[in-house]
Amino acid sequence: DIQMTQSPSSLSASVGDRVTITCRASQSISSYLNWYQQKPGKAPKLLIYGVSSLQSGVPSRFSGSGSGTDFTLTISSLQPEDFATYYCQQSYIARTFGQGTKVEIK
Amino acid sequence: EVQLVESGGGLVQPGGSLRLSCAASGFTVSTNYMSWVRQAPEKGLEWVSIIYSGGSTYYADSVKGRFTISRDNSKNTLYLQMDSLRAEDTAVYYCARVRVTTTYDTFDIWGQGTMVTVSS
């Protein structure tokens, strides 16, 4: 099984901050890496697919990068509506999610 | 509008069974890969099962042999039959469409979720 490890597990940030979340796979997953945003009581929402492609309707302040085993989600200027939990997910072999990163208000 | 609506969740005793449904609108279930993902209370997301457009099915080790994914093309609906339920199966269950190409594979449409509680 491919394990996905996110860091940090949580972070506190202010509106306007640049936020970076990392995701490491236990083996190479090519470009099969996606990012989701989840707010309390709601279903996850697709943000980024295929490492760096922005899902339609997602603001351009979200971006993804990386290759092989190491990947990053960046929010260039944190907005009030971005406080949520973020998950990475691989689909190279079966499908596995990271444990999540909770972005909280500082 | 492209939409998924789950139903069928509830309270069930350990060892019992439950069937979840996921009705799709705005697209055709049978021509897409479809999946179930669950989330235990205050926990992260866990992939459960997938059915390919060709009919092949795959399961997480945690549910293999107990859960069965299927679809009814005439109703444009996805199902998850859950048998021999355990307390650790307690979770919100989401159905999701899987968008697949040669370079990526992602859950692009999600339902709102249905809660399953396994308890005596």
Side-chain angles (χ1 to χ4, degrees), chain B residues 11 17 21 28-29 37 68 77 88 116:
Chain B
L11 175 63
S17 298
S21 300
T28 302
V29 164
V37 175
T68 303
T77 297
E88 55 264 35
V116 172

Side-chain angles (χ1 to χ4, degrees), chain A residues 50-86:
Chain A
V51 177
S52 59
S53 296
L54 198 65
Q55 172 69 350
S56 176
V58 174
S60 59
R61 63 181 178 272
F62 291 92
S63 64
S65 64
S67 64
T69 60
D70 294 308
F71 303 90
T72 299
L73 173 70
T74 300
I75 309 171
S76 60
S77 178
L78 198 65
Q79 297 302 299
E81 60 268 30
D82 300 337
F83 292 95
T85 300
Y86 294 84

